[in-house]
Amino acid sequence: MCQAAPARTRQAGRTRPLPLRRGEEGGITPACTMASPRHAGPPDGGWGWMIVAGCFLVTICTRAVTRCISIFFVEFQAYFGQDYARTAWIHSIVDCATMLCGLGFALCYSPAIAMVGKYFNKRKALAYGIAMSGSGIGTFILAPVVQLLIEQFSWRGALLILGGFVLNLCVCGALMRPIALKEDRKTASEFLEQDYVPEAQKRDLKQMSICSPLIKVWSHECLCYCSWKEYDFLLMPGFMVLAVSVLFMAYGCSPLFVYLVPYALSVGVSHHQAAFLMSILGVIDIIGNITFGWLTDRRCLKKHRHFCYLFAVGMDGLCCLFLPVLRNFPLLVPFSFTFGYFDGAYVTLIPVVTADVVGTSSLSSALGVVYFLHAIPYLLSPPVAGWLVDTTGSYTASFLLCGFSMIFSSTLLCFARLAKKIKRTHLRSLTNDTGTKQHVWTNGAIAYSVTAELDQKDVEFLAVDTNSYSNR
């Protein structure tokens, strides 16, 4: 973005100053600056609610439509005469392409989710809860509608009508207004203060505008550093643990949306009742989105969003473990209620937990990585589950594998969080102990100053020095 102090352009051997205007923050910026509003922080409202509405519609047109492919599963299997494993590739490829490529739904879903995080901070969880509830509402409405469309127009006609409905994504894109936050951009003077800009270039850059074409002479090292800073969160221990947890969580959750309807039909549930199970799951998903979003924005729970997330993932895993013993419609209805609620809960908290780990400035890139990590499990888990069904003749092994995968995801994140808390408490106690020893050392000829947190080796070294000094 172009931001600079009074700048000059070269024209016909002369220099003339660029026209200036007063920025929103009271400073002077060149006229070439884009007109997108600049804020010191997320506005937590205003046009942000239109962004939430747009994201709400995006989740309906993407995630809800994808879930409804489960209703097409039996139709595809009967028409093409294929087994469970091969038929499952249809759903898995759709999900994988959404999370992995820069094609189709991926061009709408990830940017819309990231835009909500740019506009909200204090009410971020609630905003995400409303935005992500589109998946549940869409599933609740579309599941029975798709079943009726299949009966009236066959699966081909139903897919054609769904394609026309998905064109509403164009309207959603028109609502996405960019916002420039103070942390996202630097002025020319701030840029020149960075250590990665060589001294020779600093002298040259001070004499020209950031808007000047001569800015292309920046060194390759500078550009590489900027790119690395955008993705330096990849080496954060907290993000690494979250990434591994997401892999197991995504593996466990995907097959259920593919096989819930076929499983219900296999235990004697009618087609309309099976579609109704998906509707129940969708509408309860909405309640999970909004209530968990609101609850985790409360002061008492805001600091425990990670534990709320892992609790929701663990509960979904337990639901999958009990699913094989639920073999009639009255028992499958409570399952849809429970699984749908906690599914909506953790889906809402994924962007919130990611933002807490990496910060708002890196949220867009971090969400891209998180959703990219969803792609591989989404691609592999439905065919693997289908292969288990074909091999064993039962859904039990598939659902148990899904349940244990989600429970492991929750357990891993829980132990990592507890380990971090224990380490932080231990370092705090070491710092306090070191502070008491500091008064003894200042009485002699040598004075020591401890201003940062010390690791175990530093404490042992200081303890040896203290004993030797006291023996003198």
Short mmCIF file of all heavy atoms in Angstrom, two decimals, residues 287-348:
data_model
loop_
_atom_site.label_atom_id
_atom_site.label_comp_id
_atom_site.label_asym_id
_atom_site.label_seq_id
_atom_site.Cartn_x
_atom_site.Cartn_y
_atom_site.Cartn_z
N ILE A 287 -27.60 -23.77 16.56
CA ILE A 287 -27.61 -23.46 18.00
C ILE A 287 -26.21 -23.57 18.57
O ILE A 287 -25.78 -22.74 19.38
CB ILE A 287 -28.59 -24.39 18.73
CG1 ILE A 287 -30.00 -24.21 18.18
CG2 ILE A 287 -28.56 -24.13 20.24
CD1 ILE A 287 -31.02 -25.17 18.76
N GLY A 288 -25.47 -24.59 18.16
CA GLY A 288 -24.09 -24.73 18.62
C GLY A 288 -23.23 -23.58 18.16
O GLY A 288 -22.40 -23.07 18.93
N ASN A 289 -23.39 -23.13 16.91
CA ASN A 289 -22.63 -21.99 16.41
C ASN A 289 -22.83 -20.75 17.27
O ASN A 289 -21.87 -20.11 17.73
CB ASN A 289 -23.06 -21.66 14.97
CG ASN A 289 -22.51 -22.64 13.95
OD1 ASN A 289 -23.19 -22.97 12.99
ND2 ASN A 289 -21.29 -23.10 14.11
N ILE A 290 -24.08 -20.40 17.48
CA ILE A 290 -24.39 -19.12 18.12
C ILE A 290 -24.16 -19.17 19.62
O ILE A 290 -23.56 -18.25 20.20
CB ILE A 290 -25.84 -18.71 17.79
CG1 ILE A 290 -26.00 -18.49 16.28
CG2 ILE A 290 -26.23 -17.43 18.54
CD1 ILE A 290 -27.40 -18.16 15.84
N THR A 291 -24.62 -20.24 20.29
CA THR A 291 -24.48 -20.29 21.75
C THR A 291 -23.02 -20.39 22.17
O THR A 291 -22.59 -19.70 23.10
CB THR A 291 -25.26 -21.48 22.33
OG1 THR A 291 -24.82 -22.70 21.71
CG2 THR A 291 -26.75 -21.31 22.09
N PHE A 292 -22.23 -21.23 21.50
CA PHE A 292 -20.81 -21.33 21.85
C PHE A 292 -20.08 -20.04 21.50
O PHE A 292 -19.16 -19.63 22.20
CB PHE A 292 -20.16 -22.53 21.15
CG PHE A 292 -19.81 -23.64 22.09
CD1 PHE A 292 -20.80 -24.36 22.73
CD2 PHE A 292 -18.49 -23.95 22.34
CE1 PHE A 292 -20.48 -25.39 23.59
CE2 PHE A 292 -18.16 -24.98 23.21
CZ PHE A 292 -19.16 -25.71 23.84
N GLY A 293 -20.48 -19.41 20.39
CA GLY A 293 -19.87 -18.13 20.06
C GLY A 293 -20.15 -17.07 21.10
O GLY A 293 -19.26 -16.30 21.49
N TRP A 294 -21.38 -17.03 21.60
CA TRP A 294 -21.74 -16.06 22.62
C TRP A 294 -21.08 -16.39 23.95
O TRP A 294 -20.57 -15.49 24.64
CB TRP A 294 -23.26 -16.02 22.77
CG TRP A 294 -23.73 -15.03 23.78
CD1 TRP A 294 -23.92 -13.68 23.60
CD2 TRP A 294 -24.07 -15.29 25.16
NE1 TRP A 294 -24.35 -13.10 24.77
CE2 TRP A 294 -24.46 -14.07 25.75
CE3 TRP A 294 -24.08 -16.44 25.93
CZ2 TRP A 294 -24.85 -13.96 27.07
CZ3 TRP A 294 -24.47 -16.35 27.27
CH2 TRP A 294 -24.85 -15.13 27.82
N LEU A 295 -21.09 -17.66 24.34
CA LEU A 295 -20.53 -18.05 25.63
C LEU A 295 -19.04 -17.79 25.71
O LEU A 295 -18.54 -17.30 26.73
CB LEU A 295 -20.82 -19.52 25.89
CG LEU A 295 -22.26 -19.90 26.25
CD1 LEU A 295 -22.42 -21.41 26.32
CD2 LEU A 295 -22.67 -19.27 27.57
N THR A 296 -18.30 -18.11 24.65
CA THR A 296 -16.85 -17.94 24.69
C THR A 296 -16.43 -16.48 24.54
O THR A 296 -15.24 -16.18 24.67
CB THR A 296 -16.17 -18.77 23.59
OG1 THR A 296 -16.77 -18.48 22.32
CG2 THR A 296 -16.31 -20.25 23.89
N ASP A 297 -17.37 -15.58 24.26
CA ASP A 297 -17.08 -14.15 24.31
C ASP A 297 -17.28 -13.56 25.69
O ASP A 297 -16.92 -12.41 25.94
CB ASP A 297 -17.97 -13.39 23.32
CG ASP A 297 -17.35 -13.30 21.93
OD1 ASP A 297 -16.13 -13.49 21.84
OD2 ASP A 297 -18.09 -13.05 20.97
N ARG A 298 -17.87 -14.34 26.61
CA ARG A 298 -18.05 -13.87 27.98
C ARG A 298 -16.70 -13.83 28.69
O ARG A 298 -15.79 -14.58 28.40
CB ARG A 298 -19.00 -14.78 28.76
CG ARG A 298 -20.40 -14.95 28.18
CD ARG A 298 -21.10 -13.63 28.00
NE ARG A 298 -20.94 -13.12 26.65
CZ ARG A 298 -21.22 -11.89 26.25
NH1 ARG A 298 -21.64 -11.01 27.14
NH2 ARG A 298 -21.07 -11.53 25.01
N ARG A 299 -16.61 -12.92 29.65
CA ARG A 299 -15.34 -12.72 30.35
C ARG A 299 -14.87 -13.97 31.07
O ARG A 299 -13.67 -14.26 31.13
CB ARG A 299 -15.49 -11.57 31.35
CG ARG A 299 -14.21 -11.21 32.08
CD ARG A 299 -14.43 -9.99 32.98
NE ARG A 299 -14.86 -8.83 32.21
CZ ARG A 299 -15.18 -7.65 32.76
NH1 ARG A 299 -15.13 -7.50 34.08
NH2 ARG A 299 -15.56 -6.65 31.99
N CYS A 300 -15.81 -14.77 31.60
CA CYS A 300 -15.42 -15.94 32.37
C CYS A 300 -14.86 -17.06 31.49
O CYS A 300 -14.09 -17.90 31.97
CB CYS A 300 -16.61 -16.45 33.18
SG CYS A 300 -18.06 -16.86 32.17
N LEU A 301 -15.24 -17.10 30.21
CA LEU A 301 -14.79 -18.17 29.32
C LEU A 301 -13.84 -17.71 28.23
O LEU A 301 -13.30 -18.55 27.50
CB LEU A 301 -16.00 -18.85 28.67
CG LEU A 301 -16.92 -19.66 29.58
CD1 LEU A 301 -18.10 -20.21 28.80
CD2 LEU A 301 -16.15 -20.80 30.23
N LYS A 302 -13.64 -16.41 28.10
CA LYS A 302 -12.83 -15.92 26.99
C LYS A 302 -11.40 -16.44 27.05
O LYS A 302 -10.77 -16.67 26.01
CB LYS A 302 -12.84 -14.39 26.99
CG LYS A 302 -12.44 -13.77 25.67
CD LYS A 302 -12.78 -12.30 25.64
CE LYS A 302 -12.54 -11.71 24.26
NZ LYS A 302 -12.95 -10.30 24.17
N LYS A 303 -10.88 -16.64 28.27
CA LYS A 303 -9.51 -17.12 28.41
C LYS A 303 -9.41 -18.64 28.24
O LYS A 303 -8.31 -19.18 28.25
CB LYS A 303 -8.96 -16.73 29.77
CG LYS A 303 -8.83 -15.23 29.96
CD LYS A 303 -8.24 -14.91 31.33
CE LYS A 303 -8.09 -13.41 31.53
NZ LYS A 303 -7.54 -13.08 32.87
N HIS A 304 -10.55 -19.30 28.11
CA HIS A 304 -10.56 -20.77 28.04
C HIS A 304 -11.15 -21.25 26.72
O HIS A 304 -11.79 -22.31 26.67
CB HIS A 304 -11.36 -21.34 29.21
CG HIS A 304 -10.90 -20.85 30.55
ND1 HIS A 304 -9.70 -21.24 31.11
CD2 HIS A 304 -11.46 -19.97 31.43
CE1 HIS A 304 -9.55 -20.65 32.28
NE2 HIS A 304 -10.60 -19.87 32.50
N ARG A 305 -10.93 -20.50 25.66
CA ARG A 305 -11.49 -20.89 24.36
C ARG A 305 -10.89 -22.20 23.87
O ARG A 305 -11.57 -23.01 23.24
CB ARG A 305 -11.23 -19.79 23.33
CG ARG A 305 -12.11 -18.56 23.52
CD ARG A 305 -11.63 -17.41 22.66
NE ARG A 305 -12.57 -16.32 22.64
CZ ARG A 305 -12.33 -15.12 22.10
NH1 ARG A 305 -11.14 -14.91 21.54
NH2 ARG A 305 -13.24 -14.18 22.11
N HIS A 306 -9.60 -22.41 24.15
CA HIS A 306 -8.96 -23.65 23.72
C HIS A 306 -9.65 -24.87 24.35
O HIS A 306 -9.91 -25.87 23.68
CB HIS A 306 -7.48 -23.65 24.08
CG HIS A 306 -6.62 -22.97 23.08
ND1 HIS A 306 -6.48 -21.59 23.03
CD2 HIS A 306 -5.85 -23.44 22.07
CE1 HIS A 306 -5.67 -21.26 22.06
NE2 HIS A 306 -5.27 -22.36 21.44
N PHE A 307 -9.96 -24.78 25.64
CA PHE A 307 -10.57 -25.91 26.32
C PHE A 307 -12.01 -26.11 25.86
O PHE A 307 -12.49 -27.25 25.79
CB PHE A 307 -10.51 -25.70 27.83
CG PHE A 307 -9.12 -25.83 28.39
CD1 PHE A 307 -8.40 -24.71 28.75
CD2 PHE A 307 -8.54 -27.08 28.55
CE1 PHE A 307 -7.12 -24.83 29.26
CE2 PHE A 307 -7.25 -27.20 29.06
CZ PHE A 307 -6.54 -26.07 29.42
N CYS A 308 -12.71 -25.03 25.54
CA CYS A 308 -14.05 -25.17 24.97
C CYS A 308 -13.99 -25.86 23.61
O CYS A 308 -14.84 -26.71 23.29
CB CYS A 308 -14.70 -23.79 24.83
SG CYS A 308 -15.06 -22.96 26.39
N TYR A 309 -12.98 -25.51 22.82
CA TYR A 309 -12.82 -26.14 21.51
C TYR A 309 -12.54 -27.63 21.64
O TYR A 309 -13.18 -28.47 20.99
CB TYR A 309 -11.69 -25.43 20.76
CG TYR A 309 -11.20 -26.16 19.53
CD1 TYR A 309 -11.90 -26.10 18.34
CD2 TYR A 309 -10.03 -26.91 19.57
CE1 TYR A 309 -11.44 -26.78 17.21
CE2 TYR A 309 -9.57 -27.59 18.47
CZ TYR A 309 -10.28 -27.52 17.28
OH TYR A 309 -9.83 -28.19 16.17
N LEU A 310 -11.58 -27.99 22.50
CA LEU A 310 -11.22 -29.41 22.62
C LEU A 310 -12.34 -30.21 23.27
O LEU A 310 -12.52 -31.40 22.98
CB LEU A 310 -9.90 -29.57 23.36
CG LEU A 310 -9.80 -29.11 24.83
CD1 LEU A 310 -10.15 -30.26 25.77
CD2 LEU A 310 -8.38 -28.63 25.11
N PHE A 311 -13.12 -29.57 24.15
CA PHE A 311 -14.27 -30.27 24.75
C PHE A 311 -15.31 -30.60 23.68
O PHE A 311 -15.85 -31.72 23.66
CB PHE A 311 -14.89 -29.38 25.83
CG PHE A 311 -16.17 -29.95 26.42
CD1 PHE A 311 -16.12 -31.01 27.31
CD2 PHE A 311 -17.40 -29.41 26.07
CE1 PHE A 311 -17.29 -31.53 27.85
CE2 PHE A 311 -18.57 -29.92 26.60
CZ PHE A 311 -18.52 -30.99 27.49
N ALA A 312 -15.57 -29.65 22.78
CA ALA A 312 -16.54 -29.89 21.72
C ALA A 312 -16.06 -30.99 20.78
O ALA A 312 -16.85 -31.87 20.37
CB ALA A 312 -16.79 -28.59 20.94
N VAL A 313 -14.78 -30.98 20.42
CA VAL A 313 -14.24 -32.02 19.54
C VAL A 313 -14.31 -33.39 20.22
O VAL A 313 -14.69 -34.40 19.60
CB VAL A 313 -12.78 -31.69 19.14
CG1 VAL A 313 -12.16 -32.84 18.36
CG2 VAL A 313 -12.73 -30.41 18.32
N GLY A 314 -13.97 -33.44 21.50
CA GLY A 314 -14.03 -34.70 22.23
C GLY A 314 -15.44 -35.27 22.33
O GLY A 314 -15.66 -36.48 22.21
N MET A 315 -16.44 -34.39 22.52
CA MET A 315 -17.82 -34.85 22.59
C MET A 315 -18.30 -35.41 21.26
O MET A 315 -19.04 -36.40 21.22
CB MET A 315 -18.72 -33.70 23.04
CG MET A 315 -18.56 -33.31 24.50
SD MET A 315 -18.92 -34.68 25.63
CE MET A 315 -20.64 -34.99 25.27
N ASP A 316 -17.89 -34.79 20.16
CA ASP A 316 -18.23 -35.34 18.85
C ASP A 316 -17.60 -36.72 18.65
O ASP A 316 -18.20 -37.62 18.05
CB ASP A 316 -17.78 -34.39 17.74
CG ASP A 316 -18.90 -33.47 17.30
OD1 ASP A 316 -20.01 -33.57 17.86
OD2 ASP A 316 -18.67 -32.63 16.42
N GLY A 317 -16.38 -36.89 19.16
CA GLY A 317 -15.75 -38.20 19.08
C GLY A 317 -16.51 -39.26 19.86
O GLY A 317 -16.68 -40.39 19.38
N LEU A 318 -17.00 -38.92 21.04
CA LEU A 318 -17.79 -39.86 21.82
C LEU A 318 -19.09 -40.22 21.11
O LEU A 318 -19.54 -41.38 21.15
CB LEU A 318 -18.10 -39.25 23.20
CG LEU A 318 -16.94 -39.15 24.19
CD1 LEU A 318 -17.39 -38.45 25.46
CD2 LEU A 318 -16.39 -40.55 24.52
N CYS A 319 -19.70 -39.25 20.45
CA CYS A 319 -20.93 -39.53 19.69
C CYS A 319 -20.66 -40.57 18.60
O CYS A 319 -21.48 -41.47 18.38
CB CYS A 319 -21.46 -38.24 19.06
SG CYS A 319 -22.15 -37.06 20.25
N CYS A 320 -19.54 -40.44 17.91
CA CYS A 320 -19.20 -41.41 16.86
C CYS A 320 -18.98 -42.80 17.44
O CYS A 320 -19.32 -43.80 16.80
CB CYS A 320 -17.95 -40.95 16.11
SG CYS A 320 -18.19 -39.48 15.10
N LEU A 321 -18.43 -42.90 18.65
CA LEU A 321 -18.20 -44.21 19.25
C LEU A 321 -19.50 -44.92 19.58
O LEU A 321 -19.58 -46.15 19.50
CB LEU A 321 -17.36 -44.05 20.52
CG LEU A 321 -15.91 -43.56 20.36
CD1 LEU A 321 -15.21 -43.50 21.71
CD2 LEU A 321 -15.13 -44.45 19.40
N PHE A 322 -20.54 -44.16 19.94
CA PHE A 322 -21.81 -44.77 20.30
C PHE A 322 -22.73 -45.00 19.10
O PHE A 322 -23.74 -45.70 19.22
CB PHE A 322 -22.54 -43.89 21.32
CG PHE A 322 -21.99 -43.99 22.72
CD1 PHE A 322 -21.18 -42.99 23.22
CD2 PHE A 322 -22.27 -45.09 23.51
CE1 PHE A 322 -20.67 -43.08 24.51
CE2 PHE A 322 -21.76 -45.19 24.79
CZ PHE A 322 -20.95 -44.19 25.30
N LEU A 323 -22.39 -44.42 17.95
CA LEU A 323 -23.28 -44.52 16.79
C LEU A 323 -23.56 -45.96 16.34
O LEU A 323 -24.71 -46.26 15.96
CB LEU A 323 -22.71 -43.69 15.63
CG LEU A 323 -23.55 -43.63 14.36
CD1 LEU A 323 -24.95 -43.10 14.66
CD2 LEU A 323 -22.87 -42.75 13.30
N PRO A 324 -22.60 -46.88 16.34
CA PRO A 324 -22.91 -48.24 15.85
C PRO A 324 -23.99 -48.97 16.63
O PRO A 324 -24.59 -49.93 16.10
CB PRO A 324 -21.56 -48.97 15.96
CG PRO A 324 -20.54 -47.88 15.89
CD PRO A 324 -21.15 -46.72 16.60
N VAL A 325 -24.28 -48.58 17.86
CA VAL A 325 -25.31 -49.28 18.65
C VAL A 325 -26.67 -48.60 18.51
O VAL A 325 -27.65 -49.07 19.09
CB VAL A 325 -24.91 -49.36 20.13
CG1 VAL A 325 -23.60 -50.11 20.30
CG2 VAL A 325 -24.81 -47.97 20.76
N LEU A 326 -26.74 -47.51 17.76
CA LEU A 326 -28.01 -46.81 17.54
C LEU A 326 -28.58 -47.29 16.21
O LEU A 326 -28.15 -46.86 15.15
CB LEU A 326 -27.78 -45.29 17.53
CG LEU A 326 -26.99 -44.71 18.71
CD1 LEU A 326 -26.77 -43.22 18.54
CD2 LEU A 326 -27.70 -45.01 20.03
N ARG A 327 -29.58 -48.15 16.29
CA ARG A 327 -30.03 -48.86 15.09
C ARG A 327 -31.51 -48.64 14.78
O ARG A 327 -32.14 -49.49 14.14
CB ARG A 327 -29.73 -50.35 15.23
CG ARG A 327 -28.25 -50.65 15.51
CD ARG A 327 -27.98 -52.14 15.45
NE ARG A 327 -28.23 -52.70 14.15
CZ ARG A 327 -27.37 -52.66 13.13
NH1 ARG A 327 -26.18 -52.08 13.30
NH2 ARG A 327 -27.68 -53.19 11.96
N ASN A 328 -32.07 -47.51 15.21
CA ASN A 328 -33.43 -47.17 14.80
C ASN A 328 -33.58 -45.65 14.84
O ASN A 328 -32.74 -44.93 15.41
CB ASN A 328 -34.49 -47.86 15.68
CG ASN A 328 -34.29 -47.58 17.16
OD1 ASN A 328 -34.34 -46.43 17.60
ND2 ASN A 328 -34.07 -48.64 17.94
N PHE A 329 -34.63 -45.16 14.24
CA PHE A 329 -34.81 -43.71 14.10
C PHE A 329 -34.92 -42.98 15.44
O PHE A 329 -34.29 -41.92 15.60
CB PHE A 329 -36.05 -43.43 13.23
CG PHE A 329 -36.30 -41.98 12.98
CD1 PHE A 329 -35.48 -41.25 12.12
CD2 PHE A 329 -37.35 -41.33 13.61
CE1 PHE A 329 -35.71 -39.91 11.89
CE2 PHE A 329 -37.59 -39.97 13.39
CZ PHE A 329 -36.77 -39.27 12.52
N PRO A 330 -35.69 -43.48 16.44
CA PRO A 330 -35.77 -42.76 17.72
C PRO A 330 -34.42 -42.61 18.42
O PRO A 330 -34.21 -41.63 19.17
CB PRO A 330 -36.72 -43.64 18.56
CG PRO A 330 -37.56 -44.34 17.55
CD PRO A 330 -36.63 -44.61 16.41
N LEU A 331 -33.49 -43.53 18.21
CA LEU A 331 -32.17 -43.41 18.82
C LEU A 331 -31.23 -42.54 17.99
O LEU A 331 -30.32 -41.90 18.54
CB LEU A 331 -31.54 -44.80 18.99
CG LEU A 331 -32.20 -45.73 20.02
CD1 LEU A 331 -31.51 -47.07 20.04
CD2 LEU A 331 -32.18 -45.09 21.41
N LEU A 332 -31.43 -42.50 16.69
CA LEU A 332 -30.57 -41.67 15.83
C LEU A 332 -30.90 -40.18 15.96
O LEU A 332 -30.06 -39.34 15.68
CB LEU A 332 -30.71 -42.11 14.37
CG LEU A 332 -30.08 -43.46 14.02
CD1 LEU A 332 -30.42 -43.86 12.60
CD2 LEU A 332 -28.56 -43.39 14.20
N VAL A 333 -32.13 -39.86 16.37
CA VAL A 333 -32.49 -38.44 16.54
C VAL A 333 -31.67 -37.79 17.65
O VAL A 333 -31.10 -36.70 17.44
CB VAL A 333 -34.01 -38.31 16.82
CG1 VAL A 333 -34.35 -36.88 17.27
CG2 VAL A 333 -34.81 -38.67 15.58
N PRO A 334 -31.54 -38.38 18.86
CA PRO A 334 -30.65 -37.77 19.87
C PRO A 334 -29.21 -37.66 19.41
O PRO A 334 -28.50 -36.71 19.77
CB PRO A 334 -30.78 -38.70 21.08
CG PRO A 334 -32.08 -39.39 20.89
CD PRO A 334 -32.25 -39.54 19.41
N PHE A 335 -28.76 -38.65 18.63
CA PHE A 335 -27.40 -38.55 18.09
C PHE A 335 -27.24 -37.31 17.21
O PHE A 335 -26.25 -36.58 17.31
CB PHE A 335 -27.06 -39.80 17.27
CG PHE A 335 -25.83 -39.64 16.42
CD1 PHE A 335 -24.57 -39.81 16.97
CD2 PHE A 335 -25.93 -39.29 15.08
CE1 PHE A 335 -23.44 -39.64 16.21
CE2 PHE A 335 -24.80 -39.12 14.31
CZ PHE A 335 -23.55 -39.30 14.87
N SER A 336 -28.21 -37.08 16.32
CA SER A 336 -28.13 -35.90 15.45
C SER A 336 -28.14 -34.62 16.27
O SER A 336 -27.45 -33.65 15.93
CB SER A 336 -29.31 -35.90 14.46
OG SER A 336 -29.22 -36.99 13.57
N PHE A 337 -28.93 -34.58 17.34
CA PHE A 337 -28.94 -33.41 18.22
C PHE A 337 -27.56 -33.17 18.83
O PHE A 337 -27.02 -32.06 18.77
CB PHE A 337 -29.97 -33.59 19.34
CG PHE A 337 -31.35 -33.11 19.00
CD1 PHE A 337 -32.26 -33.96 18.41
CD2 PHE A 337 -31.73 -31.81 19.27
CE1 PHE A 337 -33.53 -33.52 18.08
CE2 PHE A 337 -32.99 -31.35 18.96
CZ PHE A 337 -33.91 -32.21 18.35
N THR A 338 -26.99 -34.21 19.43
CA THR A 338 -25.72 -34.05 20.16
C THR A 338 -24.56 -33.77 19.22
O THR A 338 -23.78 -32.83 19.44
CB THR A 338 -25.43 -35.32 20.98
OG1 THR A 338 -26.55 -35.64 21.79
CG2 THR A 338 -24.21 -35.09 21.88
N PHE A 339 -24.43 -34.58 18.18
CA PHE A 339 -23.33 -34.38 17.24
C PHE A 339 -23.44 -33.03 16.54
O PHE A 339 -22.44 -32.33 16.36
CB PHE A 339 -23.31 -35.51 16.21
CG PHE A 339 -22.11 -35.46 15.30
CD1 PHE A 339 -20.94 -36.11 15.65
CD2 PHE A 339 -22.16 -34.76 14.10
CE1 PHE A 339 -19.82 -36.05 14.81
CE2 PHE A 339 -21.06 -34.71 13.26
CZ PHE A 339 -19.88 -35.35 13.62
N GLY A 340 -24.65 -32.65 16.15
CA GLY A 340 -24.84 -31.37 15.46
C GLY A 340 -24.48 -30.19 16.34
O GLY A 340 -23.86 -29.23 15.87
N TYR A 341 -24.84 -30.26 17.63
CA TYR A 341 -24.54 -29.13 18.52
C TYR A 341 -23.04 -28.93 18.68
O TYR A 341 -22.53 -27.82 18.52
CB TYR A 341 -25.19 -29.36 19.89
CG TYR A 341 -24.94 -28.23 20.85
CD1 TYR A 341 -25.70 -27.07 20.80
CD2 TYR A 341 -23.93 -28.30 21.80
CE1 TYR A 341 -25.47 -26.02 21.67
CE2 TYR A 341 -23.69 -27.27 22.67
CZ TYR A 341 -24.46 -26.12 22.60
OH TYR A 341 -24.21 -25.07 23.46
N PHE A 342 -22.32 -29.99 18.99
CA PHE A 342 -20.89 -29.83 19.23
C PHE A 342 -20.10 -29.65 17.94
O PHE A 342 -19.03 -29.04 17.95
CB PHE A 342 -20.36 -31.03 20.02
CG PHE A 342 -20.80 -31.04 21.45
CD1 PHE A 342 -21.75 -31.95 21.89
CD2 PHE A 342 -20.32 -30.11 22.34
CE1 PHE A 342 -22.17 -31.95 23.21
CE2 PHE A 342 -20.73 -30.09 23.67
CZ PHE A 342 -21.67 -31.02 24.10
N ASP A 343 -20.65 -30.14 16.83
CA ASP A 343 -20.01 -29.83 15.55
C ASP A 343 -20.08 -28.34 15.26
O ASP A 343 -19.08 -27.72 14.86
CB ASP A 343 -20.69 -30.61 14.43
CG ASP A 343 -20.12 -30.29 13.06
OD1 ASP A 343 -19.01 -30.77 12.76
OD2 ASP A 343 -20.77 -29.54 12.30
N GLY A 344 -21.23 -27.73 15.48
CA GLY A 344 -21.34 -26.29 15.31
C GLY A 344 -20.46 -25.52 16.27
O GLY A 344 -19.93 -24.45 15.94
N ALA A 345 -20.28 -26.07 17.48
CA ALA A 345 -19.46 -25.40 18.49
C ALA A 345 -18.00 -25.31 18.07
O ALA A 345 -17.40 -24.23 18.08
CB ALA A 345 -19.60 -26.13 19.83
N TYR A 346 -17.42 -26.44 17.70
CA TYR A 346 -15.97 -26.39 17.39
C TYR A 346 -15.71 -25.74 16.04
O TYR A 346 -14.64 -25.14 15.85
CB TYR A 346 -15.34 -27.78 17.49
CG TYR A 346 -15.53 -28.71 16.33
CD1 TYR A 346 -14.84 -28.53 15.14
CD2 TYR A 346 -16.37 -29.81 16.43
CE1 TYR A 346 -15.01 -29.39 14.07
CE2 TYR A 346 -16.53 -30.69 15.38
CZ TYR A 346 -15.85 -30.47 14.21
OH TYR A 346 -16.01 -31.32 13.16
N VAL A 347 -16.64 -25.83 15.09
CA VAL A 347 -16.45 -25.15 13.81
C VAL A 347 -16.39 -23.63 14.03
O VAL A 347 -15.59 -22.93 13.41
CB VAL A 347 -17.57 -25.53 12.83
CG1 VAL A 347 -17.58 -24.59 11.63
CG2 VAL A 347 -17.40 -26.96 12.36
N THR A 348 -17.22 -23.13 14.93
CA THR A 348 -17.19 -21.70 15.26
C THR A 348 -15.86 -21.29 15.88
O THR A 348 -15.35 -20.20 15.61
CB THR A 348 -18.33 -21.37 16.23
OG1 THR A 348 -19.57 -21.64 15.58
CG2 THR A 348 -18.29 -19.90 16.64
#
